[in-house]
């Protein structure tokens, strides 16, 4: 995934912020433990969200623990730890770690197919590195690997279709998250809620990524579903004029709001757990804030990195 | 039955006003409007029922008074696609779509576009759903059912039910900024001066 699913820090309680960091750091450690230290690099806000969502389904016993950070030994971090190796909580972190590895590996593979040979050299190298871990993660959670495989196939088909609508292009990512989220539910009612949440969250992520890349894709002539939707074919290979760009941003924002209008009602039906406050913050404030930063403040990807936690 | 105070998330010692506030907040959270045409509608209405019952119980306990709940019902007119409608009602979206796709292009009327839009909406294809609802409204401008579906789609895009609304400006995230504070003070000063007083002596 792409790091768009993150909380809005300004509206978080301090205890929620601490808990979020605790889960984030614990996921980093799980990545190291299950898939090797190199895979810690794949840690993302999206997978932290998935871990939070998974943990929140049950009420696992957990406690905080202070330890040195592996990546920065001078810093002490607070980790959220499953008490007495609580099996459910441990599985949640394992699953989120596997999701992180699988998503990253498939993103590299996607880049290899998308880009020219020289640009894809880096991606090829990283993909070769991640290959063994991908196999391990796939063996740990076959349903996830299966969902990712069908997502890649469907994505390619959707983007090469004659008429590539936004809905059709967003569907593979949406279906992927739908499957991955639904797996966290036990009863049919829980699964129904998670399915809707997953589908529209995946749809939001895909569309956010497409909107974020629109200017770049126009310049480089890459595929972007908004080009056809907004009839921007005339501007391929150049810059968008100011008025067109504002109109495009507003349209992208409206499409994204449409998805969130389906995410929020589903999130209201999630069980009350230790992380409900954080999940609500992410979905009701974090995602709209992301839309504002990208579409209206035009904060670039690199600058956003510096604004992070 | 579960404790009605627990359902509303208030303590039994809460005042009538606090109970009402908690009820309003929850009723807004699970309001059927945001779940229309959604597979979650049933779950949400169960929640809604629970909240309504809890609130009614508390009010009855306290004052022997009852309040009504929310009901949701869509308008249903005469239809040439009753089979498609019954499939949609039963949640058999794939069957409904198959029937709709079998209709030749030249005999696709406003209702066809509306129903196709509903099917697309259920599948999560919100953009194409909106386009179909728009088409249905253009072909039959007076129809309240099609108009309601289009309004719903447009409201969702505007950010009413979640998302970011650029027209709300900073109030969406920040509240009042330093500029607003100064402006407010200057306004207050002008008002005072009109009435013969003075709030800020230097201006």
């Amino acid at each position: 995934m792409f790091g768009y699913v993150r909380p809005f820090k300004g509206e978080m309680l301090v205890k929620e912020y601490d808990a979020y960091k605790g889960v984030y750091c614990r996921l980093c450690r799980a990545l190291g433990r299950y898939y090797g230290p190199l895979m810690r690099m794949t840690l993302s806000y999206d997978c932290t969200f998935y871990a939070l969502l998974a943990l929140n389904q049950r009420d696992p016993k957990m406690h905080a623990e202070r330890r040195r950070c592996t990546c920065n030994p001078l810093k002490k971090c607070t980790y959220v730890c499953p008490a007495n190796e609580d099996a459910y909580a441990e599985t949640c972190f394992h699953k989120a770690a596997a999701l992180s590895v699988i998503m990253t590996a498939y993103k590299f593979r996607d880049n290899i197919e998308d880009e020219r040979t020289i640009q894809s050299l880096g991606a090829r190298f990283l993909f070769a590195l991640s290959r063994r871990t991908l196999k391990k993660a796939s063996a740990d959670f076959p349903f996830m690997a299966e969902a990712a495989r069908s997502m890649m196939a469907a994505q390619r088909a959707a983007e090469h279709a004659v008429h590539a609508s936004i809905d059709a292009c967003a569907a593979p990512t949406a279906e992927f998250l739908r499957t991955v989220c639904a797996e966290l539910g036990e009863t049919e009612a829980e699964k129904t809620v998670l399915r809707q949440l997953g589908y529209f969250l995946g749809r939001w992520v895909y569309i956010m990524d497409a909107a974020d890349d629109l200017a770049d894709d126009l310049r480089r002539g890459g595929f972007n579903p908004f080009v056809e939707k907004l009839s921007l074919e005339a501007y391929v290979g150049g810059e968008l004029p100011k008025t067109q760009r504002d109109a495009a941003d507003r349209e992208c924002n409206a499409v994204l709001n449409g998805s969130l209008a389906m995410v929020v009602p589903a999130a209201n039906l999630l069980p009350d757990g230790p992380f409900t406050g954080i999940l609500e913050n992410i979905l009701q404030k974090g995602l709209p804030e992301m839309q504002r930063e990208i579409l209206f403040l035009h904060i670039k990807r690199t600058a956003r990195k510096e604004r992070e936690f | 039955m579960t404790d009605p105070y627990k359902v509303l998330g208030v303590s039994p010692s809460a005042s009538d006003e606090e109970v009402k506030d908690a009820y309003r907040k929850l009723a807004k959270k699970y309001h059927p409007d945001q779940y229309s045409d959604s597979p979650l509608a049933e779950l949400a209405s169960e929640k809604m029922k629970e909240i309504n019952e809890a609130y009614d119980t508390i009010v009855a306990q306290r004052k022997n008074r009852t309040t009504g709940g929310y009901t949701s019902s869509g308008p249903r007119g005469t239809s040439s696609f009753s089979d498609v409608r019954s499939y949609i009602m039963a949640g058999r979206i794939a069957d409904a779509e198959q029937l709709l796709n079998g209709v030749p292009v030249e005999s696709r009327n406003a209702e066809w576009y509306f129903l196709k839009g509903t099917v697309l909406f259920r599948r999560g294809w919100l953009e194409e759903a909106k386009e179909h609802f728009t088409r249905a409204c253009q072909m039959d401008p007076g129809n309240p059912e099609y108009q309601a579906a289009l309004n719903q789609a447009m409201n969702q895009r505007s950010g009413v039910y979640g998302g970011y609304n650029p027209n709300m400006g900073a109030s969406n995230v920040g509240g009042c900024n330093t500029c607003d504070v100064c402006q407010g003070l200057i306004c207050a000063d002008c008002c005072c001066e009109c009435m013969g007083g003075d709030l800020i002596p230097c201006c």
Side-chain angles (χ1 to χ4, degrees):
Chain A
M1 288 190 257
F2 317 90
Y4 296 119
V5 187
R6 61 173 222 215
F8 181 36
K9 198 175 151 192
E11 292 269 1
M12 264 180 140
L13 297 178
V14 175
K15 65 172 180 181
E16 288 175 346
Y17 177 69
D18 288 343
Y20 184 82
K21 282 198 82 167
V23 170
Y24 185 79
C25 290
R26 183 61 179 71
L27 178 58
C28 180
R29 226 172 63 195
L31 273 164
R33 182 194 288 181
Y34 292 111
Y35 301 110
L38 206 59
M39 285 299 131
R40 284 174 186 260
M41 309 267 286
T42 68
L43 180 65
S44 67
Y45 293 124
D46 307 298
C47 291
T48 311
F49 173 83
Y50 184 68
L52 286 166
L53 187 68
L55 289 166
N56 203 53
Q57 284 298 117
R58 305 278 163 279
D59 197 354
K61 295 263 169 302
M62 285 185 293
H63 61 90
E65 208 173 87
R66 279 185 77 75
R67 284 201 202 180
R68 279 188 198 291
C69 173
T70 323
C71 305
N72 179 3
L74 295 178
K75 199 171 70 177
K76 268 203 166 180
C77 287
T78 308
Y79 293 87
V80 166
C81 287
N84 320 319
E85 299 297 302
D86 179 294
Y88 178 76
E90 196 49 51
T91 318
C92 290
F93 285 112
H94 191 178
K95 247 184 229 172
L99 179 70
S100 183
V101 168
I102 290 175
M103 292 296 300
T104 312
Y106 278 99
K107 198 162 162 60
F108 288 149
R109 189 179 282 183
D110 190 40
N111 287 358
I112 293 173
E113 277 161 24
D114 266 9
E115 282 162 16
R116 329 257 173 281
T117 26
I118 297 180
Q119 280 173 320
S120 74
L121 267 181
R124 255 171 226 281
F125 176 67
L126 289 169
F127 179 65
L129 268 182
S130 66
R131 203 169 189 145
R132 267 186 49 209
T133 8
L134 173 63
K135 259 196 193 143
K136 188 156 182 287
S138 309
D140 289 345
F141 298 104
F143 77 94
M144 225 181 253
E146 183 50 44
R149 255 195 299 279
S150 53
M151 166 177 71
M152 297 307 287
Q155 193 72 62
R156 215 159 305 133
E159 290 183 3
H160 290 93
V162 190
H163 176 74
S165 78
I166 286 270
D167 294 326
C169 291
T173 313
E175 296 282 353
F176 172 73
L177 268 194
R178 179 180 189 264
T179 316
V180 172
C181 288
E183 203 271 342
L184 300 175
E186 225 164 57
T187 62
E188 196 44 44
E190 280 177 359
K191 278 180 193 287
T192 316
V193 171
L194 288 164
R195 264 188 220 116
Q196 167 148 344
L197 179 77
Y199 185 92
F200 289 99
L201 185 66
R203 186 181 145 92
W204 185 90
V205 167
Y206 179 86
I207 295 173
M208 187 78 260
D209 190 46
D212 196 13
D213 288 343
L214 180 59
D216 277 347
D217 283 335
L218 275 177
R219 210 173 301 127
R220 293 185 302 126
F223 172 82
N224 193 305
F226 277 111
V227 174
E228 185 180 312
K229 179 167 171 65
L230 304 173
S231 327
L232 301 174
E233 288 88 350
Y235 302 103
V236 172
E239 294 285 335
L240 267 185
K242 177 97 175 62
T243 46
Q244 257 86 353
R245 184 171 179 187
D246 286 350
D249 285 339
R250 279 179 178 268
E251 182 61 23
C252 292
N253 189 54
V255 179
L256 288 164
N257 283 346
S259 293
L260 283 194
M262 308 298 274
V263 167
V264 173
N268 287 342
L269 294 169
L270 287 174
D272 264 327
F275 301 115
T276 305
I278 305 180
L279 293 174
E280 280 179 1
N281 173 295
I282 295 176
L283 299 173
Q284 295 176 10
K285 306 204 171 100
L287 303 188
E289 174 64 11
M290 210 68 209
Q291 288 172 219
R292 189 173 82 98
E293 281 186 12
I294 293 176
L295 298 172
F296 298 96
L297 303 181
H298 301 298
I299 299 173
K300 287 270 168 298
R301 226 176 259 259
T302 42
R304 275 207 304 278
K305 280 249 154 56
E306 285 155 19
R307 288 164 64 100
E308 281 167 20
F309 292 89
Chain B
M1 198 193 146
T2 46
D3 177 9
Y5 289 98
K6 220 171 183 176
V7 174
L8 294 188
V10 291
S11 83
S13 60
S15 69
D16 288 355
E17 208 45 49
E18 281 169 332
V19 172
K20 206 177 204 172
D21 267 359
Y23 168 73
R24 282 213 187 110
K25 224 171 168 180
L26 287 169
K28 201 176 158 218
K29 192 169 170 185
Y30 300 109
H31 195 278
D33 274 4
Q34 43 178 355
Y35 295 97
S36 61
D37 274 332
S38 156
L40 303 182
E42 213 169 291
L43 285 168
S45 77
E46 255 168 48
K47 270 273 186 194
M48 197 71 211
K49 217 175 111 199
E50 206 176 286
I51 295 160
N52 281 331
E53 272 169 12
Y55 183 66
D56 287 350
T57 316
I58 293 175
V59 172
Q61 273 174 4
R62 290 185 173 192
K63 275 184 191 162
N64 265 341
R65 181 162 54 88
T66 50
T67 57
Y70 288 96
T71 53
S72 71
S73 64
R76 292 275 175 272
T78 51
S79 164
S80 50
F81 291 99
S82 54
D83 41 351
V84 176
R85 278 182 189 270
S86 58
Y87 276 146
I88 293 176
M89 291 280 275
R92 292 169 64 184
I93 299 303
D95 293 327
E97 185 161 32
Q98 204 175 6
L99 277 185
L100 284 171
N101 289 345
V103 176
V105 181
E106 57 278 7
S107 51
R108 292 178 177 177
N109 58 9
E111 191 181 12
W112 186 89
Y113 279 98
F114 165 72
L115 291 171
K116 176 87 182 178
T118 308
V119 165
L120 287 165
F121 190 88
R122 283 288 193 95
R123 259 176 45 196
W125 290 40
L126 309 179
E127 284 307 296
E128 287 182 32
K130 187 207 79 186
E131 279 154 27
H132 279 80
F133 290 147
T134 312
R135 184 81 190 265
C137 287
Q138 281 165 357
M139 291 166 89
D140 184 358
N143 190 305
E145 191 182 17
Y146 311 160
Q147 196 59 48
L150 181 60
N151 287 348
Q152 166 85 355
M154 295 313 280
N155 280 339
Q156 291 190 337
R157 286 164 58 91
S158 74
V160 178
Y161 299 116
Y164 175 68
N165 179 356
N167 302 327
M168 296 266 285
S171 62
N172 204 10
V173 279
C176 109
N177 58 22
T178 31
C179 250
D180 295 339
V181 174
C182 290
Q183 258 171 15
L185 279 173
I186 290 167
C187 272
D189 183 46
C190 289
C191 289
C192 280
E193 279 162 5
C194 284
M195 303 301 287
D198 196 6
L199 181 65
I200 310 169
C202 64
C203 78

